Amino acid sequence: GTRRATAWHHRATPPRMAPPPTMVVADDDVPRVVKVAPHEFADTGRGHRVLERVARGDVLLEVPIEIGFTAAAAMADAEVGAVASACARHDDLVALLICVEVERGEGAERAGHCASLPESFDTAFYWSPEELEELKGTVCLRDTMSLIEETAQDFENIRGKLEKMGRGTWLEDHGVTYERYAWARSNLWSRQCDLLMPDGKRTRAMVPTFDIFNHSPDAPLGKTHKLNAERGLVTVYASKDYEPGEQAFISYGSGEAANSKLLTWYGFCVENNPYEELDLTLTVSVNKLRKTVLEAALMASAVAYLTDIDDRWQESGDYAEPYLPMLYQSLYTPKMEDLEADGSSAEFIVKHTVPEREPLPPTLRIMARVQQLSDSELADPEIRQAVMESANDKSGETIVSMANELAALASLKLIFQDVMDGFVIGSAEDDEAELAKPFDQVPYRKRLALLVRSGERRIATKAYAMSSMEFDKTVRDVTKTAITRTEGLCENKKCLTCASSGCRWLHELRKQKPNIEAVLPAVSKCARAIEDALPLAAHLQTINLAYIWLMGRLDDDAVTPRAALNLPTWPLDSDQCDASAYADLDEMAKLAIDGSAGEEHAHNGKEGEMLLPGVYTAKVKTWGAWILAQWAVCGIFDITDLNAIGSEAASLKRRHACSIPTRTALDALGELGPLVEIGSGGGLWARRLSERGYDVVAYNTPQFDEDYHDGGAAHIASMKLTEVSWFDNMRTGGPESAKEHTDRALVLMWPDISGDGEYGLTALENYEGNTLVTVGEWRDHTFGEYAPGATASGMSFSAECQDLVASRFELERVVPVANWPMFDSVAMIWRARK
């Protein structure tokens, strides 16, 4: 299980006789118990072997603290004490004493202790660039790189201060090179300990013999060693019953026991470590009020949580002290005087500890909640009281408000997503397989990296899963509350306004509009927080539910289930949906291959214009987040916003395409062989097919033809079929062009606007080939007559066209595509009947 280093190298020292059992040594009349002796163990390297049978709690060792390396000893040394002012840190000063004692040789006061110190370490501080690459994405790597930089800078600072003191040659005169200084610091990192004084303060010491004890996660916390200040002794107690010859272990404490810290400071890791933690550093901008609230809330939250743990431990009667993680540490707190001026702000930096056993600790939750409150909200005494009530809840489950909780959980989900994305070396499965190999088949340092990497990744994954689960539940609760609302529904069966619009919510929506406008800053803040935390399918689901609720069709089993696209946030009963098309678009956006990063060649649209699917993904996320945020803050939405969404979606649909191409859909079409698209509009699909290397011929009818459309142009109030051509090789031609391409699969996309006309029917009558692709709504792929103007057979193909297709072709495959709000189109691949 535990290792301090792969090998230990010692300077030559006179041979020592093994001490007899239970030595009591008199040293200046101070008794010292010695029931252990140094020994080389096969699995851990050097440690302490028990000399006789001992019981748990028996004293194993007593060592005077004064013989150790301490700051007091450094100050008392004539040569080191004289230059103490050149040292900014405790470890700088003690490291200089170690270096000087080594240089003094066998005549040094602490020569024996120096001779026992290891010459090499497995801490990441000494790893090669190739070895460090295995730690990419870990806190351990970040801390190690900071430590390397800090150590080099500290050494140069000491040199600079010595020069200013007129002692410019002091380091050289005493044999203090950077390498020896770094070696001394490494010994302090791995071998000194913090000891609690009677006044509650801590002192550091590297004590001979005591510093050989190895760590075990099984050793009881807080019970293995302490400082007997009255006698000046460091005392070690047996952590369990030991037999002679067994290795005695101590606990390095819960704050130092995570593998990331064990590797950083000591050079070893523990498999199946029960004290795994992930450090997470967050920076927020604070003004005077936010700083005050945040500090008070963090402290209250930590006290409530840790007090509860301690109370339960006291009741349990356990021998070992409870695991009390260092929940947070303020790395930088601006001074109040720096925030006095109006409008002034500064960074507030906090390091959170995320224990594996508590992946969303209360202090992290409370910071996220405070961060998501606006300045105007924080100025409200009732909200500040709600913050403190939340902080004082030991479970962390008391919230400030639904909107605040939605935004806070969204921020935590995205934070842990970023942490997981930072692990670019290996995968969880690959790392687990490597760690399962025999010890000698994996290089030691790589195994250490694997333990650290897998532990941190595992915690981030758990925290992401937990924040996602709670975020999804909050979305469900917010959505369900909104769409099951009955307050304000018009009950007047003779209301002309409701009858003419088909909506019984218009009166309430108009009444609530001023209330919504009054809290738009809060809505905007919430929308920004949640936009990237939800998958694309969830955003479209929100928009569709808003429409269905507005039209009073929630109870329509032919309509509502079609809106289910993301089951984790679906607020009603449903156990199935197909969101694959939207997942594909999410992945394309993540890879920046959806057109959002710019097109590879110029097109006929506006300069720099984003095309599908990038513009679709961006818009739907913005629309969905805005509606959900209004539900969270107000419980209802502004009808003008939903109207604006509908108008903008219709405009984008006309300009780009009626269905949104995904990689899966494009490949499904392209794999059919050569294609001919009739009525291709702006040619966006043809363009994307061509970009993926597929052979496609596209025809466009620039103007509506009443011979085919039977007034279909009236549905969009325009005689112009397309606004722009996206495909460079577009041909001009109508349905009759299909007869020229019997060797190609025929592609028809939304040929009959609003489900009217004969364009699709005529194209089909002119086609004598064997393969047909229809892209659009169909009888069993539509929201139906959910609103005035919607048809039961869909908005893409006339009923007559669908009948002809069914008579001449057999359906082979249905391929999902992405849709604009309240459309349910699919790509359907048909083969001619024999």
Side-chain angles (χ1 to χ4, degrees):
T2 62
R3 292 191 63 168
R4 186 176 290 270
T6 49
W8 297 80
H9 306 284
H10 309 283
R11 290 181 177 82
T13 55
R16 302 176 184 176
M17 298 296 291
T22 319
M23 282 184 60
V24 179
V25 183
D27 185 1
D28 297 331
D29 297 326
V30 178
R32 288 190 295 145
V33 176
V34 182
K35 296 182 181 180
V36 292
H39 182 76
E40 291 291 336
F41 293 91
D43 55 347
T44 67
R46 201 177 203 198
H48 271 305
R49 177 172 57 88
V50 177
L51 299 176
E52 63 180 74
R53 177 179 294 177
V54 295
R56 186 182 72 178
D58 286 354
V59 174
L60 292 177
L61 179 70
E62 291 182 326
V63 186
I65 190 173
E66 65 180 12
I67 68 173
F69 282 101
T70 63
M75 292 297 295
D77 186 276
E79 295 181 67
V80 177
V83 296
S85 59
C87 301
R89 303 174 188 270
H90 167 280
D91 283 10
D92 289 343
L93 181 61
V94 181
L96 289 186
L97 176 61
I98 295 172
C99 293
V100 169
E101 285 285 87
V102 169
E103 183 67 13
R104 288 168 177 163
E106 295 183 357
E109 181 180 353
R110 294 172 174 81
H113 193 181
C114 290
S116 72
L117 299 177
E119 294 183 353
S120 63
F121 300 88
D122 279 309
T123 55
F125 188 93
Y126 292 98
W127 288 17
S128 69
E130 292 76 20
E131 290 170 329
L132 288 174
E133 186 71 12
E134 293 288 341
L135 290 170
K136 199 166 185 179
T138 66
V139 173
C140 180
L141 178 61
R142 183 197 66 196
D143 289 348
T144 295
M145 300 311 293
S146 296
L147 205 56
I148 292 172
E149 181 180 353
E150 172 192 296
T151 304
Q153 188 61 55
D154 286 350
F155 185 73
E156 291 304 314
N157 289 342
I158 293 172
R159 183 188 297 279
K161 290 180 180 179
L162 287 171
E163 290 177 354
K164 291 181 179 180
M165 294 168 59
R167 310 289 294 269
T169 63
W170 191 94
L171 294 175
E172 288 76 9
D173 293 344
H174 294 81
V176 184
T177 63
Y178 171 73
E179 289 72 23
R180 180 173 283 181
Y181 167 79
W183 168 82
R185 287 280 296 263
S186 296
N187 272 288
L188 290 173
W189 296 331
S190 64
R191 302 173 80 83
Q192 73 177 347
C193 66
D194 287 345
L195 297 166
L196 188 64
M197 302 289 285
D199 59 2
K201 296 180 180 179
R202 291 184 175 274
T203 184
R204 288 183 182 177
M206 186 170 75
V207 181
T209 309
F210 169 72
D211 61 9
I212 296 176
F213 276 102
N214 284 322
H215 165 79
S216 170
D218 297 326
L221 294 173
K223 295 294 184 180
T224 59
H225 57 280
K226 70 176 184 179
L227 173 65
N228 186 331
E230 291 182 359
R231 298 171 62 203
L233 297 176
V234 176
T235 305
V236 182
Y237 301 90
S239 61
K240 65 170 189 172
D241 296 345
Y242 285 112
E243 295 295 327
E246 287 188 274
Q247 181 172 186
F249 291 97
I250 64 172
S251 170
Y252 289 1
S254 57
E256 295 292 324
N259 277 338
S260 180
K261 293 182 175 65
L262 292 176
L263 177 55
T264 300
W265 303 113
Y266 304 103
F268 71 94
C269 291
V270 174
E271 297 196 29
N272 303 313
N273 192 338
Y275 303 118
E276 281 287 53
E277 297 172 344
L278 171 69
D279 286 342
L280 186 67
T281 301
L282 301 179
T283 301
V284 296
S285 179
V286 297
N287 56 18
K288 186 176 180 180
L289 178 59
R290 189 176 298 274
K291 174 183 182 293
T292 301
V293 173
L294 187 55
E295 286 181 326
L298 283 170
M299 178 60 71
S301 179
V303 169
Y305 178 74
L306 297 176
T307 299
D308 178 62
I309 292 177
D310 191 63
D311 289 345
R312 284 188 279 117
W313 171 67
Q314 297 283 358
E315 294 174 1
S316 71
D318 287 345
Y319 175 73
E321 292 183 4
Y323 166 65
L324 298 173
M326 176 69 73
L327 290 175
Y328 79 96
Q329 179 184 1
S330 296
L331 300 183
Y332 177 76
T333 306
K335 297 179 180 178
M336 276 298 189
E337 52 264 32
D338 295 334
L339 300 172
E340 291 292 345
D342 291 340
S344 61
S345 64
E347 286 187 342
F348 187 104
I349 305 175
V350 178
K351 181 173 73 173
H352 290 271
T353 295
V354 182
E356 184 167 13
R357 60 183 73 182
E358 186 76 47
L360 283 184
T363 46
L364 182 59
R365 288 172 179 262
I366 200 65
M367 183 167 181
R369 289 167 181 158
V370 174
Q371 186 179 0
Q372 293 302 323
L373 291 170
S374 66
D375 289 345
S376 60
E377 288 173 320
L378 275 177
D380 185 337
E382 291 186 1
I383 291 182
R384 293 202 301 275
Q385 181 179 348
V387 169
M388 294 311 298
E389 289 175 355
S390 173
N392 284 307
D393 177 6
K394 60 183 181 243
S395 70
E397 295 176 358
T398 300
I399 67 173
V400 178
S401 69
M402 289 297 281
N404 175 259
E405 192 68 3
L406 198 65
L409 288 169
S411 68
L412 292 175
K413 176 181 177 179
L414 293 174
I415 285 170
F416 287 111
Q417 177 67 67
D418 287 343
V419 175
M420 290 192 302
D421 290 343
F423 296 109
V424 296
I425 305 297
S427 65
E429 295 75 17
D430 292 342
D431 288 356
E432 185 178 353
E434 282 291 294
L435 286 171
K437 293 180 180 179
F439 198 90
D440 58 355
Q441 291 185 17
V442 181
Y444 180 59
R445 289 184 175 181
K446 182 175 182 179
R447 181 174 289 274
L448 295 180
L450 287 167
L451 287 168
V452 169
R453 194 170 72 211
S454 61
E456 291 192 12
R457 193 199 316 254
R458 190 171 60 250
I459 296 171
T461 301
K462 288 182 178 180
Y464 174 80
M466 183 176 290
S467 57
S468 296
M469 181 180 66
E470 296 193 20
F471 176 64
D472 289 342
K473 180 183 181 302
T474 306
V475 172
R476 290 197 306 271
D477 292 344
V478 166
T479 304
K480 188 168 186 176
T481 299
I483 65 175
T484 56
R485 175 190 180 116
T486 57
E487 181 184 356
L489 181 67
C490 181
E491 300 293 346
N492 184 359
K493 304 297 184 181
K494 298 181 180 180
C495 178
L496 296 179
T497 300
C498 296
S500 62
S501 65
C503 175
R504 296 167 59 197
W505 286 106
L506 290 183
H507 304 294
E508 179 67 10
L509 291 168
R510 290 168 181 168
K511 176 184 174 181
Q512 293 293 336
K513 183 176 176 62
N515 297 330
I516 297 172
E517 291 176 344
V519 292
L520 283 181
V523 171
S524 179
K525 186 176 181 64
C526 181
R528 289 194 304 270
I530 65 179
E531 182 173 319
D532 291 329
L534 283 168
L536 180 62
H539 285 299
L540 184 62
Q541 177 176 280
T542 295
I543 302 167
N544 288 345
L545 278 173
Y547 277 111
I548 294 171
W549 171 83
L550 183 67
M551 303 311 298
R553 302 299 292 270
L554 279 173
D555 295 331
D556 190 335
D557 291 339
V559 175
T560 302
R562 295 194 175 278
L565 294 171
N566 185 61
L567 291 182
T569 58
W570 180 249
L572 305 173
D573 293 334
S574 184
D575 59 358
Q576 59 183 357
C577 70
D578 187 348
S580 58
Y582 305 96
D584 193 10
L585 294 185
D586 279 330
E587 182 65 19
M588 292 175 71
K590 184 177 180 180
L591 298 173
I593 58 173
D594 61 346
S596 58
E599 298 295 319
E600 292 185 3
H601 59 83
H603 52 74
N604 296 325
K606 296 178 182 178
E607 184 177 353
E609 183 176 0
M610 191 189 303
L611 304 186
L612 293 181
V615 66
Y616 168 85
T617 300
K619 288 294 183 180
V620 170
K621 289 174 66 175
T622 299
W623 297 336
W626 187 251
I627 295 298
L628 183 58
Q630 289 190 56
W631 277 344
V633 176
C634 312
I636 200 167
F637 57 76
D638 188 339
I639 183 63
T640 58
D641 289 334
L642 197 62
N643 289 337
I645 289 171
S647 177
E648 189 174 11
S651 177
L652 290 168
K653 181 182 170 196
R654 287 196 302 272
R655 185 168 181 82
H656 294 274
C658 295
S659 294
I660 290 80
T662 66
R663 292 176 298 180
T664 302
L666 291 169
D667 289 341
L669 269 63
E671 290 166 2
L672 296 174
L675 306 170
V676 57
E677 184 183 1
I678 305 297
S680 62
L684 200 287
W685 276 72
R687 175 194 177 105
R688 295 304 190 212
L689 283 163
S690 180
E691 288 172 347
R692 295 180 76 80
Y694 296 121
D695 181 0
V696 57
V697 173
Y699 289 88
N700 178 37
T701 305
Q703 300 290 331
F704 280 105
D705 189 328
E706 294 298 332
D707 291 340
Y708 298 126
H709 289 274
D710 294 336
H715 287 285
I716 61 170
S718 173
M719 286 300 295
K720 189 175 182 181
L721 184 59
T722 56
E723 298 180 2
V724 63
S725 177
W726 305 112
F727 187 47
D728 294 337
N729 300 318
M730 182 69 70
R731 301 183 185 185
T732 300
E736 69 283 351
S737 304
K739 68 177 65 174
E740 304 173 16
H741 299 283
T742 59
D743 59 330
R744 292 175 176 267
L746 173 62
V747 180
L748 294 177
M749 299 192 186
W750 293 73
D752 303 322
I753 300 299
S754 299
D756 285 344
E758 300 177 358
Y759 196 100
L761 183 68
T762 306
L764 196 59
E765 291 173 341
N766 279 277
Y767 179 64
E768 298 179 357
N770 295 318
T771 305
L772 170 68
V773 178
T774 59
V775 179
E777 293 196 311
W778 208 255
R779 285 192 178 102
D780 53 353
H781 289 283
T782 175
F783 283 97
E785 299 173 296
Y786 78 95
T791 66
S793 57
M795 306 291 283
S796 312
F797 296 86
S798 68
E800 294 77 13
C801 179
Q802 294 182 47
D803 289 339
L804 183 58
V805 169
S807 67
R808 286 181 51 188
F809 295 86
E810 291 185 5
L811 180 62
E812 180 180 273
R813 181 184 177 192
V814 176
V815 181
V817 299
N819 284 285
W820 298 102
M822 291 310 294
F823 288 102
D824 192 28
S825 65
V826 291
M828 306 174 78
I829 298 173
W830 307 79
R831 299 291 187 180
R833 295 182 182 275
K834 295 182 181 179

